[in-house]
Structures are given as C-alpha cells and as structure tokens.
Amino acid sequence: MIEIEKKMTPYGGYHTNKIPAHDSELTEVGPGTPMGEYMRGFWHPVCMALELTDTPRFLKILGEELVAFRDKSGRIGLLHAHCAHRGASLEYGAIQERGIMCCYHGMVFDVDGTCLHVPYPKGEEAEGEKYACSIRQGAYKAFERNGLIFAYMGPPEKEPPFPEWEENFTVLPTDELVPFSNFQHCNWLQVQDNAADNFHPTALHAAKNVVGGNYQGTTFDEVGAASMEVAPDMQFIPVHGGRSLACAGARRASKDNLFIRVQHQVLPNLSLHAYTSEDGSKQKLFSRFHIIRWTVPVDDVNSKMIGWRVMGPGIDTRGVGNKEMVGYETIDFLEGQVAMRRPERFGKYKLEDLPPIPEDHRARHNYKECQHAPGDYEAIISQRPIAVHALENPTKFDAGVYMFRKMLRDGVRGTNQAATPEGFAQWLKELAGAPNSYCAGNVLEIPESDDLELEVSRRRHATREIVRILTSADGLRGEERENFVKQSMLELQQSLSAVAAES
C-alpha cells in the first residue's frame, strides 16, 4: 500500500525511476533461450528476394550472423556467416554455380553446408577431399515465395510444413502478393504487440492529433478511412486450440452501417490484417487478407516487419493502394512505418534500391517532423529497445496484447501442447499445410439504435457471432466455406436489423 501511495505522489518521479528487468522469457531470441528455441520451430521470412544479388547478403536473424545468396544454378543458400575453416565471413565470398566460395582460402560450400572443394596443392588433392569430408558449414533450408525468402532454423528432423494459409493466402485472381521488409529498431515482441493493439488508431492515426496541422500521411483521415479511427468495441477470442487469437472489433462507420474487423494473430509472430482502408460506406461480407506480416527478430533489440501486401481490386475496393510504394523499407498504407520517411526514401532512391537504414531514430534529420506526426514506428521503437512489461499499466483495451503474451508463454513452456512447435507441425500436417484464417473485414447494414445500452449490446453480440460463424466454418474449405460464412453473416444482419426495427 505504501508503494502504491508513493507511485501516486505528485512530482514523484523519484519513486518510479528504477527500471525493472525486461521479460527475458518472451523477448530474448538467441540460441538456447526459451523464445529463441521456440521460434526456431517455425518457418520465417528472412529477407526479400531482391536482396539477393551478385554478392552475398549478410543477415542477422534470431541473433545469428548469416549469409544469404542465390547460387548460379538458382538455388537459395542460407549459411552461417563465418567460414568453418578459419572464420572469415562468407559475405565476402564468391557465388559459384553450386554454392559459395570463401574469399580467404577458397573453400566452397554447397547450400546444405557440404564442403564441395578444398584447394590443396597439386598432387595432394586426395588429402583435400578427405579434409572436405571432415567439415560442414552451418546451413538452413530456405526457399523463395512471391518475392520473400523463407527459412527454417530449427532441428532438421523436426521441420514442419510451411503454412499455406487457405492455400493461396486468399488472393483473388485479380490481385497479387507484393513483398515488403521494414526494419524496426527494437525487440520483436513490441512490434507484434502493436498488431494486437487494435485501439491505438484512435489516437496515433487520427488527424486531429497531428501537431500544428503538419500532416504527413500518418493518419487514416488522410486516406479517406476515418472509420478506422473510431474507437472499436473489442472482443479477443483464442481460436485454433490456443494457437492463434481472433481480435474482433466493432465500430460505427455510419448511422446505417456497422464495421466489424477481425484481425488474426498467429503464434509466434504472424499477423493477418483485414482491409486497412475501409470507409464502411457499403455492405461487405468476408473481405480477406490485406496485409500478411511476420515480425522476425534480428536480435534482442532489432526486428523486421516482413511480409506481403495484397494489391488489386479484389481486396482494395477503394483503389487507394500504391504498389510503387511497397518494398524494401517502405509500405504504402500509412506513412511512419519505418525510420526513413517517404520524401527521403523516394527522393534519393528508387523502389528497387536497398537504401541504408538509419541507426538512431533521434539522429534523423527529420526528427522534429516525425514528432509532429509520429507513426507506428515512432510509437513502437520509443518504448525502449526492449519494452519493460513490469512498468505497464494496462486498460481493458490492452487485453489482446496480454492474452497473446499468455498464449506465447503457454507455447514456450509447453503448458499448451497444441501451441508447441510439435503441436503446430502435427496440426499443419492434418490440414495438409493449409489452415483457415479468421481474418475478415465486414460491413453489415445494421441501423444504429437510439438506445445506447442496446447499441452496445448489439455490436458486441454481432462481433462474437462473427467469430462463432468463422469457427463453425473452420471444417469447410474454399468456396464452400466462403458461401457458408457470407450466408451466415447475412442472416446475422437480418436478425439484428429486425431487432433495430422493433426498438
């Protein structure tokens, strides 16, 4: 009680100036750490395909120094950076027809780590071949998919199926997956937390909060989607046996339309986002993936938001997406997602370039401009390099963040076997590697009630019912599932509209 009183003392900063330790179980990702070992049981994107050029690409993923390359036969290699012979970095190696050659002594390693060649003197080749059989470079399996390079960094004997969500990530024939990679100067978990924090757009992305009217494209008002800034009534529901979380929020788009958006958070680091530019003006049933994003740890204090934007008229019904702004260190839906703002990104560099990433957010030349109109990047990375959970004072709107952390902990500790890497792998095998998603954007034609209590009750009922409908459809596939969900939503709309008419 005395400690609480001290914390509430006016001008009492002295009583709160001690910084507790960060949550090491969930934030530290190096080899041998609980979260590091857990994450190594899943496939992750590690870079964009355009990063693989005629020279090797140095990467740091899960605290490991790696080198990625495409050999001249077209295969993807992801090797430990330091040569098994004497430790020179393979980032200075020469890409071969098969594998890569170390610059220091000329040893050649295949994409699976096999030593293919050791340059011994003439007449001593047999000894060189014998030596080559005694070493192997650390290597991870990797492949390319729609402009991203994915890798599995866990035990080879436990490799899981790659999760092909709904077989095609719900991309319609008119649409395409466009890759992006956005560096974040902070721990991976606070980036992932932000995706489960569906309440922050009401402040961070509201034009009214931009200082002095210095608009820079960080708000939903500026893209004509002000309904995204309406405070959502959130329901957070664990699904898929505790492997993922449905973050369902209802908000009024107009007097006639109720906008219900379901974000899908999947352990350990996948976020599936419904349409981010919804204005709620027209009925919409079961709109699907707009952003598919993994939060990939670089090390304990850096990470990447890396994934795909779905582009095209099928998902982008308002036609506001811009493919020419999606790629390395850039994404189009809102400014302020990365350290480099668009005037610099596209003033100095082309889309296909790999610009240098600023090292310190406060050392940026446009630091003050970013203070005027901060985006997700500024809000997330300024929580400290590793956010200290013990200092947080959550509200009920933060429930999704804390629920997802609990689900992570259950997976890491094995207290929920379904959420362990082994449990996930078995589940994916049973589903032929193509699970269904809860991600959905929906606009129902339900008139607003003049009775506030009834209005709140109906929007919460609608939100829970949509998650129930999606759960009921989980055993269906493809068009059959889509038809079931849409028909069920129409029936829900009719029943709630009838209640509105009676009231």
Side-chain angles (χ1 to χ4, degrees):
M1 185 65 181
I2 295 175
E3 286 301 314
I4 294 175
E5 289 177 358
K6 284 183 177 180
K7 288 181 180 180
M8 300 300 290
T9 302
Y11 303 112
Y14 175 82
H15 299 300
T16 57
N17 64 7
K18 298 171 184 64
I19 310 300
H22 60 260
D23 185 348
S24 59
E25 182 179 31
L26 296 186
T27 58
E28 295 180 8
V29 295
T33 62
M35 181 54 71
E37 292 303 303
Y38 181 71
M39 280 204 162
R40 282 167 173 78
F42 299 82
W43 285 93
H44 304 281
V46 295
C47 67
M48 294 178 66
L50 67 79
E51 296 179 60
L52 306 186
T53 64
D54 61 341
T55 54
R57 181 68 164 171
F58 178 83
L59 299 173
K60 206 172 184 185
I61 301 291
L62 293 171
E64 297 187 38
E65 294 187 340
L66 307 170
V67 164
F69 61 93
R70 189 195 309 275
D71 72 13
K72 293 179 180 179
S73 68
R75 299 174 306 155
I76 305 297
L78 184 66
L79 306 183
H80 286 171
H82 299 283
C83 178
H85 173 222
R86 291 273 302 282
S89 179
L90 294 176
E91 69 193 282
Y92 294 106
I95 296 172
Q96 307 292 293
E97 181 66 28
R98 284 187 64 195
I100 188 171
M101 182 180 71
C102 179
C103 69
Y104 202 11
H105 298 93
M107 294 184 182
V108 178
F109 298 99
D110 207 347
V111 295
D112 69 352
T114 301
C115 184
L116 298 176
H117 177 66
V118 178
Y120 265 51
K122 188 174 181 179
E124 300 179 38
E125 291 87 354
E127 187 176 346
E129 291 177 6
K130 183 178 179 180
Y131 176 82
C133 292
S134 72
I135 64 169
R136 182 177 288 271
Q137 185 70 12
Y140 295 118
K141 185 178 287 189
F143 72 93
E144 181 178 352
R145 170 73 184 273
N146 290 91
L148 296 179
I149 304 301
F150 289 87
Y152 171 69
M153 297 173 61
E157 68 277 8
K158 294 183 178 181
E159 179 187 325
F162 177 76
E164 302 273 0
W165 285 88
E166 304 196 22
E167 297 181 348
N168 65 348
F169 291 85
T170 75
V171 179
L172 297 175
T174 56
D175 297 353
E176 63 178 316
L177 294 171
V178 181
F180 67 89
S181 178
N182 294 338
F183 197 88
Q184 305 290 294
H185 295 82
C186 66
N187 183 260
W188 79 277
L189 185 55
Q190 60 218 65
V191 182
Q192 188 69 15
D193 282 347
N194 185 64
D197 178 358
N198 300 105
F199 211 78
H200 79 267
T202 62
L204 184 63
H205 300 310
K208 64 184 179 183
N209 293 330
V210 172
V211 177
N214 289 283
Y215 303 116
Q216 296 168 48
T218 59
T219 72
F220 283 115
D221 296 85
E222 295 168 78
V223 295
S227 62
M228 290 288 293
E229 296 173 12
V230 177
D233 196 334
M234 297 299 305
Q235 306 288 320
F236 301 99
I237 303 172
V239 293
H240 289 151
R243 298 181 181 94
S244 63
L245 182 68
C247 305
R251 64 196 101 191
R252 272 283 153 201
S254 69
K255 288 282 187 181
D256 298 315
N257 291 343
L258 185 65
F259 173 27
I260 302 172
R261 189 167 185 257
V262 186
Q263 301 281 89
H264 192 186
Q265 297 285 101
V266 185
L267 297 178
N269 60 338
L270 174 63
S271 303
L272 300 164
H273 301 251
Y275 190 39
T276 58
S277 298
E278 183 60 63
D279 63 5
S281 62
K282 298 179 182 178
Q283 182 188 77
K284 186 176 285 188
L285 304 176
F286 207 32
S287 171
R288 310 311 313 283
F289 301 174
H290 193 212
I291 298 177
I292 301 152
R293 193 197 84 189
W294 289 262
T295 305
V296 179
V298 171
D299 50 31
D300 291 346
V301 294
N302 295 285
S303 55
K304 297 179 184 180
M305 292 194 297
I306 180 169
W308 296 299
R309 274 276 279 109
V310 183
M311 305 292 294
I315 183 64
D316 184 12
T317 51
R318 296 183 53 233
V320 296
N322 186 347
K323 183 179 174 180
E324 299 306 312
M325 284 188 175
V326 181
Y328 185 81
E329 289 303 289
T330 178
I331 196 166
D332 68 318
F333 81 99
L334 284 182
E335 175 68 287
Q337 302 302 305
V338 291
M340 189 179 293
R341 292 284 172 108
R342 288 173 191 161
E344 181 177 6
R345 176 64 177 85
F346 294 103
K348 292 184 178 180
Y349 308 98
K350 298 188 290 292
L351 177 64
E352 62 270 22
D353 289 340
L354 302 175
I357 297 171
E359 294 184 1
D360 185 335
H361 68 103
R362 294 190 183 99
R364 293 178 293 174
H365 68 87
N366 59 346
Y367 172 62
K368 189 174 182 65
E369 293 173 30
C370 297
Q371 287 182 299
H372 285 147
D376 289 280
Y377 171 81
E378 284 78 23
I380 295 168
I381 63 118
S382 63
Q383 295 172 31
R384 297 182 177 89
I386 304 179
V388 179
H389 300 164
L391 294 176
E392 296 173 343
N393 294 282
T395 71
K396 70 175 185 177
F397 309 119
D398 301 304
V401 171
Y402 288 84
M403 196 173 292
F404 195 74
R405 289 179 190 171
K406 171 67 164 56
M407 292 165 65
L408 269 175
R409 216 178 295 277
D410 287 341
V412 169
R413 294 178 179 179
T415 49
N416 177 11
Q417 282 297 312
T420 62
E422 295 78 11
F424 253 98
Q426 182 58 41
W427 180 60
L428 290 172
K429 289 173 185 175
E430 293 169 359
L431 297 171
N436 287 326
S437 171
Y438 281 71
C439 177
N442 318 284
V443 180
L444 303 185
E445 295 175 345
I446 301 172
E448 185 175 11
S449 174
D450 293 331
D451 184 323
L452 183 57
E453 185 176 345
L454 179 60
E455 171 69 11
V456 171
S457 174
R458 284 192 314 164
R459 74 189 182 206
R460 291 180 179 176
H461 174 72
T463 304
R464 289 191 293 267
E465 277 297 291
I466 283 180
V467 175
R468 184 195 63 78
I469 289 168
L470 293 170
T471 300
S472 300
D474 207 23
L476 305 176
R477 313 289 292 179
E479 186 176 349
E480 183 182 11
R481 179 171 183 256
E482 182 175 352
N483 290 338
F484 173 84
V485 171
K486 287 183 175 179
Q487 181 59 38
S488 299
M489 287 189 183
L490 281 173
E491 292 170 3
L492 173 63
Q493 175 180 277
Q494 290 166 1
S495 66
L496 289 175
S497 294
V499 171
E502 292 172 3
S503 62

